[in-house]
């Protein structure tokens, strides 16, 4: 299969306290932040690699293309998936302020028209804005079938049909999807047995989580191509449809944690002291 | 939350993208695969053999060598990998150092093509473990005085002697052994199973407990002609290996020091005495500031050393200065961290005590602190104090 995996850089969640709001409240400032690959996108990369390889022999079964939008620094974000084993990258140059889910989806739709992948596999959401919309808007623009929150992907026919397990409140909903399609992935897609491609032997043990980039992979990634495009190249000239009016920090927490002896006491206090029941 | 490291002078800006990727991936590996198990292995005195294949998959074995299945990393990227590994444990970094710098490197640098093909790919895959036999019970710093001897016999060589303090000795499938042939030091590759070659594990140690340390015995051990490393004669052979390993140690111990610093800092911010965090007291701050300053100085020194090495300009005395300075720095940082942790610092629940014990070994091996002082002293004055 040919799989396109869009990835986004996000502020390192381990350093979330470094995220600051500008004095006028107009924006979140990104100066001095450490950037990480959005975890859900990293899981999408892992799932794409597992779909497109014989995990036991290492044989490649298809192409994995990584795409990211943003300033020049996002090439570093693309390099990690290339070091994990993806084949090539596309960097669409843009200021972060120019982008929202709709612009991203339009860019991806334009790239899909050029690259003609069988599958767009992406994180269900980025852990910064938590919008959870880019995949859905993209599927709508393309008129493609869509499966969101995938926690399992299985194919037995080389990707002609995909069986997707998606997590819902009451359990797992199973969908059959005929590519080309858009699939967004959830956390459990990187459990050891979550991706089955009919080629990797069932006995093969994947690790828990996304793979490490090996030192050899990192060296190889230095030579992998990253094509650079602009929004105009791709014909995306409409601006963002979402505008932010104001950012503010949540109010500082007051009070302290109190421990109660029993559920009854908790209910009583919620009624009489907190007055929320 | 994973390990954050310390970068007070924004040295990340001086690193190339691939170097940061190496650092970040090995850091995550250490967080996820080493941190959860290393305390138990240290306590039990066992080396985590189950990690060997993972080290290999990650490319940590012979990472700075070119070809033969090795990653071919630059010196700085290699150093950063060692830094992260030693933040996990000096014993695990020692395993990787010995395999890569002391066993694979001499084969890579001085071996015949046949020897390279026979050993290096398997060693990079972790299927063949190597060790390095130089030090003897009576000849440590004065390695050139070694007693171990090789004699020509029909079809090969007969080796007799004892080597001691050999990391990976009991794990090894092949030993790189330095022995005198006609009074000149030569290197020999002795496979496990060769009659007359045996190993004995040294268990009664309170340092590097998660690493295997052994004695090697050679009793009329006969090896073939093809066991001799053809590319080098004299002490230049082992010393060039030691330069590689000492370089890695210079980086590695910064990892141990950063681990100790981070543990101490977090503890001090959390631990309240007299109703406020001990990090707010001047004496504790002084300790933390000294640790952070010394770590930062070591980072600057070592990054420059790495760039010199990449440019092919590094001199052994420069490596000696970094090994000497950084190991001492890390040992002091571990002691200060142990101090800040108070009584908790002596328990297995916190890593600085383990790092401190490990670093006592690192202070002594691969050229003791004092010997490196004399190497730099000789370089500065032109006068050798140890001959």
């Amino acid at each position: 299969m040919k799989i396109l995996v869009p990835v986004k850089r996000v502020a390192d969640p381990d350093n979330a306290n470094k995220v600051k709001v500008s004095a006028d409240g107009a924006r979140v400032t990104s100066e001095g932040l450490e950037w990480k690959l959005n975890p859900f996108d990293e899981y999408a990369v892992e799932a794409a690699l597992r779909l497109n390889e014989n995990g036991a022999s290492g044989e490649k079964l298809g192409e994995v293309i990584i795409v990211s939008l943003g300033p020049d620094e996002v090439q570093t974000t693309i390099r990690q998936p290339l070091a994990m084993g993806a084949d090539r990258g596309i960097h669409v140059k843009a200021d972060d302020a120019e982008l929202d889910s709709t612009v991203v989806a339009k860019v991806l739709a334009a790239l899909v028209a050029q690259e003609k992948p069988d599958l767009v596999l992406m994180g269900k959401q980025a852990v910064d804005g938590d919008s959870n919309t880019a995949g859905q808007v993209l599927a709508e623009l393309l008129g493609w079938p869509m499966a969101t929150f995938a926690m399992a992907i299985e194919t037995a026919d080389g990707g002609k049909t995909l069986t997707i397990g998606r997590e819902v409140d009451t359990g797992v909903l199973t969908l059959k999807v005929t590519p080309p399609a858009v699939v967004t992935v959830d956390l459990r897609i990187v459990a050891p047995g979550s991706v089955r491609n009919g080629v990797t032997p069932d006995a093969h043990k994947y690790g828990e989580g996304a793979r490490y980039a090996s030192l050899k992979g990192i060296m190889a990634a230095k030579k992998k191509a990253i094509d650079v495009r602009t929004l105009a190249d791709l014909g995306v000239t409409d601006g963002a449809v979402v505008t932010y009016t104001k950012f503010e920090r949540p109010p500082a927490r007051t009070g302290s944690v109190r421990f109660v002896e029993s559920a009854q006491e908790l209910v009583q206090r919620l009624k009489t002291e907190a007055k929320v029941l | 939350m994973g390990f954050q490291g310390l970068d007070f002078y924004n040295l990340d800006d001086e690193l190339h993208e691939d170097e940061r990727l190496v650092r970040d991936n090995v850091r995550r590996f250490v967080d996820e695969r080493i941190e959860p198990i290393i305390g138990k292995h240290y306590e039990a005195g066992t080396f985590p053999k189950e990690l060997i294949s993972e080290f290999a998959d990650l490319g940590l074995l012979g990472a700075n060598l070119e070809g033969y299945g090795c990653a071919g990393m630059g010196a700085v990227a290699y150093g950063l990998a060692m830094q992260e590994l030693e933040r996990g444990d000096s014993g695990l970094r020692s395993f990787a150092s010995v395999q890569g710098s002391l066993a694979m490197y001499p084969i890579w640098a001085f071996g015949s093509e046949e020897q390279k093909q026979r050993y290096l790919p398997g060693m990079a895959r972790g299927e063949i473990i190597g060790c390095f036999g130089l030090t003897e019970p009576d000849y440590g710093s004065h390695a050139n005085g070694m007693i171990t001897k090789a004699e020509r016999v029909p079809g090969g060589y007969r080796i007799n002697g004892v080597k001691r303090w050999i990391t990976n000795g009991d794990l090894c499938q092949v030993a790189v052994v330095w022995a005198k042939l006609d009074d000149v030091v030569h290197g020999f590759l002795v496979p496990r199973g060769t009659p007359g070659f045996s190993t004995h594990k040294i268990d009664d140690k309170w340092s590097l407990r998660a690493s295997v340390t052994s004695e090697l015995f050679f009793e009329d051990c006969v090896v073939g002609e093809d066991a001799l490393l053809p590319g080098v004669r004299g002490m230049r052979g082992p010393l060039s290996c030691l330069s590689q390993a000492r370089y890695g140690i210079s980086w590695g111990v910064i990892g141990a020091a950063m681990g100790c610093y981070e543990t101490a800092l977090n503890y001090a911010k959390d631990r309240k005495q007299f109703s406020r965090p001990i990090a707010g007291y001047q004496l504790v701050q002084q300790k933390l500031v000294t640790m952070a300053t010394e770590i930062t100085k070591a980072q600057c020194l070592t990054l420059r050393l790495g760039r010199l090495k990449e440019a092919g300009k590094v001199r052994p005395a420069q490596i000696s200065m970094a090994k000497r300075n950084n190991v001492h720095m890390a040992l002091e940082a571990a002691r200060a961290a142990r101090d800040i942790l108070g009584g908790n610092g002596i328990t297995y629940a916190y890593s600085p005590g383990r790092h401190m014990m490990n670093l006592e070994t690192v202070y002594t091996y691969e050229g003791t602190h004092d010997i490196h002082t004399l190497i730099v002293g000789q370089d500065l004055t032109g006068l050798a104090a140890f001959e």
Side-chain angles (χ1 to χ4, degrees), chain B residues 107-171:
Chain B
I107 298 171
W108 182 85
F110 310 125
S112 66
E113 189 55 36
E114 193 273 334
Q115 288 169 334
K116 294 179 196 183
Q117 296 289 354
R118 180 171 168 197
Y119 288 110
L120 291 179
M123 293 178 87
R125 287 195 302 271
E127 293 159 6
I128 302 172
I129 302 304
C131 70
F132 177 86
L134 176 66
T135 298
E136 300 184 356
D138 295 324
Y139 291 90
S141 298
H142 183 203
N144 195 23
M146 71 175 65
I147 299 170
T148 301
K149 198 165 88 170
E151 300 158 285
R152 282 190 187 79
V153 295
Y157 305 91
R158 180 169 58 223
I159 303 172
N160 276 289
V162 179
K163 299 291 181 181
R164 193 152 211 258
W165 308 120
I166 309 306
T167 300
N168 296 356
D170 273 72
L171 292 173

Side-chain angles (χ1 to χ4, degrees), chain A residues 12-15 34 36 42 73 75-77 79-80 83-84 208-216 218-219 221-222, chain B residues 1-2 4 17-18 20-22 24-26 28-29 32-33 54 57-60 63 69-74 81:
Chain A
D12 182 354
D14 281 347
N15 278 311
E34 287 165 48
K36 282 265 162 77
E42 192 174 15
E73 293 78 38
Q75 292 202 9
T76 300
T77 310
R79 204 64 73 177
Q80 167 75 11
M84 290 164 71
E208 187 78 45
R211 67 195 61 192
Y212 305 105
S214 73
L215 273 51
K216 267 203 266 187
I218 292 168
M219 293 303 282
K222 290 168 81 167
Chain B
M1 188 161 110
Q4 297 298 299
E17 183 179 79
D18 59 310
R20 290 197 298 269
L21 282 176
V22 168
D24 293 346
N25 278 278
V26 179
R28 196 184 121 214
F29 173 77
E32 294 175 353
R33 306 297 300 162
E54 296 186 38
D57 287 346
L58 209 50
L60 290 170
C70 302
M73 304 301 312

